[in-house]
Amino acid sequence: MNDLYSATPDSCRLLALYYDDPIEITHGEGRHVWDFNGRRYLDFFGGILTTMTAHALPEVTKAVSEQAGRIIHSSTLYLNRPMVELAERIAQVSGIPDARVFFTTSGTEANDTALLLATAHRRSNTILAMRNSYHGRSFSAVGITGNRGWSPTSLSPLQTLYVHGGVRTRGPFAGLDDRDFIDACVADLKDVLGHTRPPAALIAEPVQGVGGFTSPPDGLYAAFRDVLKAQGILWIADEVQTGWGRTATTSGAGRRTPAAARRTSSPSPRASATACPSARHRPRRDHELPGRQQHLHLRRHPDHHGRRARQPRLPARTRPPGQRPARRRPAHRAPAGGHRPAPRGTGGARPRTDDRRRAGQARHRRGRPADRRAAVLEAARQGGLLIGKGGGHDTSALRIAPPLSLTVAEAEEGAAILEEALRSSY
């Protein structure tokens, strides 16, 4: 047993830890990490999807070191050229007309910011959220989370109403085909709106992460948007799991909603951002309905910051995406969002689980018994592979989300270890 864990009294162990004998990660390089005892693991969870590039990537290490050598913090009371330039690039790829970007220090804080903006603008503390959702660990974010395992209190400054649609394979509409499923969820949304005061916003993850990498059929959120737009209700896309190319597109919402409804969001080290349309700084009059729906975008990247927020616009030195030369993908790099070929030597026969989904390089295998999920995690760890877990109240899921720089050889190695872990546990 790790001495750091064994020396901590049970009464002081406040954090949930993986594994019967928790491991202490000391350092990483590329897609691998090492524990206190010097054992190497292939990292297929990336710090809960936060490590998007790689561990100790030389370019990132160099940039962080150079910035720390200049200045670490100066606050937003002063102009900050790197912040403005990054905001300009995010605004360009967000697809939001006249977008603004506001940086925060975590995805939770990005969600808090969006909720504050939405409730203040709409003069309502009612929020629509999806069942099985997860939006962070702050008081307000816990209050809108639709996953009981991550919502330890019912106290909240917000009135939250949960609607159907986040999980395709569970609930009263699971047996319907995609078109009927969407129609039933839209009818449910309309029914909820008919029973309550006008909400401030609906918040949704295009792909639910903690909920088990699950998502609705394409087109559901676009249908939701039409209903919300008619009543001036805002849309908050929590894209922690789907931004920055994790699903092989700039934005996960871009695959499921019209361009006007897109918001940029994504994981990244120590930061997050909220991007939204340029709003006039005045309260909305009760009789007004915006000509077009307004949208708030959150994400967990070096999280969200402000663009043109009472600051002069500085010229960006970066070229628009369409003018940048295409970067050739190395031959050893796994295709973005593509199917991985069967691991060599497995013979094609695979242990069967109830469900399997993918979104770009995010993978999900779902099975029923939670104890088997824990057994698979332990077996994978013993084989040298770190993966995650998730799911809802009656499901359990294995979450697989390696850094986006994963190579084909590493993908095959990880798949072989996972297959053996599944065989030994099922």
Side-chain angles (χ1 to χ4, degrees):
M1 178 176 291
N2 184 283
D3 61 345
L4 183 63
Y5 182 72
S6 60
T8 305
D10 290 344
S11 60
C12 296
R13 295 172 184 170
L14 303 179
L15 299 177
L17 297 171
Y18 275 6
Y19 311 116
D20 294 334
D21 182 10
I23 61 177
E24 176 188 354
I25 300 298
T26 59
H27 64 286
E29 181 178 342
R31 275 67 55 193
H32 292 87
V33 295
W34 281 258
D35 68 13
F36 180 79
N37 297 315
R39 180 169 184 188
R40 189 180 78 160
Y41 301 90
L42 187 58
D43 183 6
F44 268 31
F45 202 33
I48 315 182
L49 285 80
T50 300
T51 305
M52 294 285 289
T53 52
H55 297 285
L57 191 68
E59 299 96 309
V60 175
T61 302
K62 180 174 181 290
V64 171
S65 177
E66 290 178 350
Q67 181 60 49
R70 289 192 293 269
I71 188 170
I72 293 179
H73 176 67
S74 65
S75 92
T76 54
L77 296 174
Y78 313 105
L79 292 173
N80 184 317
R81 185 174 296 273
M83 179 182 284
V84 172
E85 291 178 347
L86 178 57
E88 297 251 344
R89 293 187 66 180
I90 292 173
Q92 286 176 344
V93 301
S94 72
I96 305 172
D98 197 19
R100 297 186 178 196
V101 180
F102 183 81
F103 288 107
T104 61
T105 57
S106 70
T108 294
E109 190 179 345
N111 281 337
D112 281 342
T113 301
L115 292 169
L116 176 62
L117 291 172
T119 53
H121 178 69
R122 290 277 295 168
R123 297 179 180 178
S124 169
N125 75 331
T126 300
I127 296 294
L128 300 172
M130 307 304 296
R131 300 182 181 197
N132 199 54
S133 60
Y134 173 83
H135 298 291
R137 301 297 288 152
S138 69
F139 189 45
S140 61
V142 163
I144 61 172
T145 287
N147 188 316
R148 184 175 60 188
W150 293 95
S151 185
T153 178
S154 61
L155 299 176
S156 174
L158 303 167
Q159 179 188 24
T160 307
L161 304 173
Y162 296 100
V163 297
H164 287 287
V167 183
R168 178 66 182 87
T169 56
R170 192 175 68 227
F173 310 142
L176 304 177
D177 62 31
D178 284 356
R179 183 66 260 170
D180 289 342
F181 180 91
I182 292 173
D183 291 343
C185 291
V186 169
D188 172 63
L189 173 62
K190 290 179 178 178
D191 184 64
V192 170
L193 293 176
H195 289 285
T196 185
R197 295 181 180 88
L202 181 145
I203 184 168
E205 306 159 273
V207 174
Q208 293 183 344
V210 170
F213 286 161
T214 182
S215 60
D218 288 355
L220 180 132
Y221 288 140
F224 274 13
R225 174 183 173 266
D226 292 338
V227 175
L228 301 175
K229 180 179 179 180
Q231 299 190 35
I233 300 170
L234 304 180
W235 173 273
I236 302 175
D238 183 350
E239 292 206 48
V240 170
Q241 307 291 331
T242 54
W244 299 116
R246 173 68 73 178
T247 57
T249 62
T250 301
S251 162
R255 300 167 55 233
R256 294 179 169 82
T257 58
R262 271 181 220 162
R263 294 175 318 162
T264 55
S265 304
S266 90
S268 273
R270 310 289 181 212
S272 294
T274 301
C276 60
S278 176
R280 307 297 171 249
H281 294 286
R282 62 171 178 81
R284 186 181 71 80
R285 299 184 181 92
D286 291 338
H287 67 275
E288 290 183 325
L289 282 179
R292 62 177 176 81
Q293 187 184 23
Q294 313 220 352
H295 306 278
L296 303 177
H297 270 297
L298 13 154
R299 77 196 265 164
R300 297 184 186 189
H301 158 253
D303 293 291
H304 304 52
H305 100 257
R307 169 181 180 241
R308 290 188 298 173
R310 300 185 183 180
Q311 293 187 358
R313 179 176 178 177
L314 301 181
R317 290 175 294 183
T318 57
R319 285 181 285 176
Q323 297 179 16
R324 289 198 292 270
R327 296 182 62 180
R328 185 173 301 169
R329 181 177 297 275
H332 67 277
R333 195 70 54 79
H339 289 284
R340 177 194 55 77
R344 297 187 181 98
T346 60
R350 307 261 177 83
R352 180 172 182 174
T353 53
D354 289 342
D355 187 21
R356 180 180 63 186
R357 295 194 187 87
R358 70 176 185 86
Q361 284 194 351
R363 293 292 188 276
H364 158 232
R365 280 187 179 271
R366 182 167 66 86
R368 291 190 181 91
D371 56 344
R372 286 188 177 179
R373 178 183 61 179
V376 174
L377 254 67
E378 290 285 355
R381 174 213 174 165
Q382 292 301 320
L385 177 69
L386 302 185
I387 57 177
K389 59 183 179 180
H393 66 89
D394 64 348
T395 60
S396 59
L398 301 175
R399 300 170 66 197
I400 306 165
L404 297 184
S405 55
L406 184 74
T407 67
V408 170
E410 290 165 343
E412 291 178 339
E413 177 188 358
I417 297 173
L418 178 59
E419 180 171 3
E420 181 58 34
L422 288 168
R423 290 186 187 281
S424 65
S425 303
Y426 281 79

